Amino acid sequence: MTYFDHNATTPLDERVLAAMLPFLTTFYGNPSSLYRHGRLARTAIDTAREQLAALIDAPATQIIFTSGGTEANNLALASLPPHGTLAISAIEHASITEPAHRLQELGTPLDILPVDSKGCINTQNLPKHAPDLVSVMIANNETGAIQDLAPLVAKLTGFGTVIHTDAVQALGKIPLSFRQLGVQLMSLSSHKIYGPKGCGALVYDKDTAITPLLLGGGQEQAQRAGTENVAAIVGFGKAAELAKAEMAARSLHTRQLRDMLEAGLAECPGAIIFAQDAQRLPNTVQFGLPDTDGEMLLMKLDKKAIAISSGSACASGGSLPSPVLLAMGVAADVAKSAIRVSFGAHNTPDQVYDFIKQLQALVYQA
Ligand SMILES: Cc1ncc(COP(=O)(O)O)c(C=O)c1O
């Protein structure tokens, strides 16, 4: 199979699996237990926290491990103070938009910040009034467009706004520094960086109050109760360590594949690359082809053993055009033709050549 959907998830790195296995078998102690077996698990979690902290340039003590990016995003929004105001960008992941709309239904004023045709908030679209919490992602999961948060941070710093960023897609693909970004909250996920699924983190500024979603045994500095998923956390830490060591090589490799694909698309009449002029993740290309239904094309490519994603979100049995592309001003019929390719460490130039050939056969010679 040719797997071109690394923004959806990545395969578990064998080195990560090797690091995890002892914590599923031999070292099964509860990290809260005081005897040696428990302390071993606690130490392994602390090491993972340090490994993740090193990747994102954050204090390890300000990392809360969660069950994934979705929980981290929900936890960030749950920290909005009662009667507070909320702003999110128009291109956020469902794990931000859904809790934001829930809060809105419960009476929270919600401001949706528009994006330009590159999928970025430009300086004219910054919030007019400082909200209590604002959430803007660093890199978009569909287009790969990278948002420069500096103008937003500059405008809102000093007004008491808590700035949250969903850095799930940026993690391991571009350098990230929590300290330099100037945000107060940042969400991360393990399975986008060759770590296990069901593990993520919320990074927080020590002066920012978190409202826990899960109450109980006081784990994770009393911010997220529940016996820790030790093996998954160890895996996330190992994946972070590898991402830090290999980011430059991975980025170069996927950028070369992306450039090859984009050169191939330039030969496909009518092909449009979304957010082409934006700064983008090195591994991501989202594009549309004329008179094509993205979901249909995805199915046809699946029959050829090529796994890619469409830009559409399924709803009530039908497929809707991607809200991200619609927010960028892309026409609905063009947005429905979108497919997304997201490369990873194991993809090869031959796979890209074959993919372009298959596309041409399916779209232009059908
Ligand atoms: C931008 C973004 N945020 C959040 C998530 C959710 O992360 P998880 O799958 O770990 O819950 C994803 C996953 O697709 C994502 O792409």
Side-chain angles (χ1 to χ4, degrees):
M1 184 196 41
T2 294
Y3 185 75
F4 279 167
D5 203 13
H6 293 80
N7 286 8
T9 195
T10 55
L12 191 69
D13 189 305
E14 281 178 14
R15 295 165 292 179
V16 171
L17 177 64
M20 291 172 68
L21 278 176
F23 293 92
L24 290 166
T25 51
T26 318
F27 305 123
Y28 51 79
N30 186 322
S32 298
S33 298
L34 296 180
Y35 43 80
R36 190 170 172 275
H37 213 48
R39 291 198 313 270
L40 252 156
R42 166 68 49 218
T43 305
I45 292 178
D46 290 344
T47 303
R49 218 185 293 281
E50 294 288 347
Q51 287 164 319
L52 183 58
L55 176 60
I56 54 166
D57 183 29
T61 49
Q62 293 171 214
I63 293 175
I64 304 166
F65 284 117
T66 65
S67 67
T70 298
E71 187 189 321
N73 280 345
N74 274 260
L75 180 56
L77 263 54
S79 301
L80 180 71
H83 313 296
T85 54
L86 176 64
I88 65 171
S89 90
I91 55 159
E92 294 303 307
H93 188 262
S95 52
I96 288 293
T97 57
E98 292 291 314
H101 285 121
R102 167 74 66 83
L103 285 167
Q104 187 182 33
E105 279 161 26
L106 296 173
T108 299
L110 172 65
D111 192 10
I112 308 279
L113 307 173
V115 295
D116 60 20
S117 59
K118 294 183 192 172
C120 295
I121 299 176
N122 57 35
T123 39
Q124 284 102 58
N125 293 335
L126 295 176
K128 304 272 174 296
H129 309 287
D132 292 293
L133 194 146
V134 65
S135 181
V136 175
M137 64 185 3
I138 295 188
N140 184 260
N141 42 303
E142 289 188 27
T143 61
I146 297 170
Q147 177 76 44
D148 176 12
L149 293 179
L152 181 81
V153 171
K155 175 145 189 192
L156 295 178
T157 298
F159 290 93
T161 300
V162 171
I163 306 172
H164 167 253
T165 190
D166 175 345
V168 165
Q169 291 294 344
L171 185 69
K173 296 182 188 132
I174 55 172
L176 279 181
S177 165
F178 179 75
R179 286 188 175 91
Q180 279 177 23
L181 275 171
V183 301
Q184 284 72 47
L185 299 172
M186 183 160 94
S187 298
L188 308 168
S189 176
S190 151
H191 72 107
K192 314 286 184 181
I193 63 161
Y194 306 92
K197 295 172 182 57
C199 191
L202 184 69
V203 190
Y204 66 102
D205 171 79
K206 60 180 177 353
D207 298 325
T208 299
I210 306 288
T211 306
L213 290 171
L214 302 180
L215 302 173
Q219 290 89 347
E220 294 298 290
Q221 307 122 63
Q223 310 282 24
R224 200 272 183 186
T227 303
E228 297 89 337
N229 187 349
V230 182
I233 291 172
V234 166
F236 190 13
K238 183 68 188 173
E241 182 190 73
L242 294 169
K244 186 169 162 61
E246 297 174 9
M247 190 185 316
R250 289 180 193 176
S251 166
L252 181 68
H253 174 67
T254 55
R255 192 183 296 276
Q256 281 166 346
L257 299 178
R258 191 188 76 176
D259 290 349
M260 281 176 57
L261 173 57
E262 294 193 358
L265 290 173
E267 305 294 311
C268 295
I272 301 166
I273 297 173
F274 300 114
Q276 187 167 19
D277 299 330
Q279 276 236 66
R280 279 179 294 143
L281 293 174
N283 78 321
T284 309
V285 190
Q286 191 184 33
F287 59 96
L289 296 166
D291 307 321
T292 306
D293 182 295
E295 298 251 301
M296 293 285 286
L297 184 56
L298 180 159
M299 303 297 181
K300 288 180 188 164
L301 286 164
D302 184 37
K303 288 199 179 126
K304 309 273 179 200
I306 299 175
I308 49 131
S309 154
S310 82
S312 314
C314 281
S316 350
S319 67
L320 294 172
S322 146
V324 171
L325 294 178
L326 295 183
M328 288 162 56
V330 174
D333 58 326
V334 180
K336 280 197 81 164
S337 77
I339 57 175
R340 176 191 72 189
V341 169
S342 47
F343 294 115
H346 304 297
N347 292 135
T348 63
D350 281 348
Q351 290 178 324
V352 181
Y353 287 131
D354 178 58
F355 174 65
I356 295 166
K357 263 202 324 226
Q358 300 283 2
L359 264 189
Q360 281 170 340
L362 289 171
V363 176
Y364 298 97
Q365 292 147 31

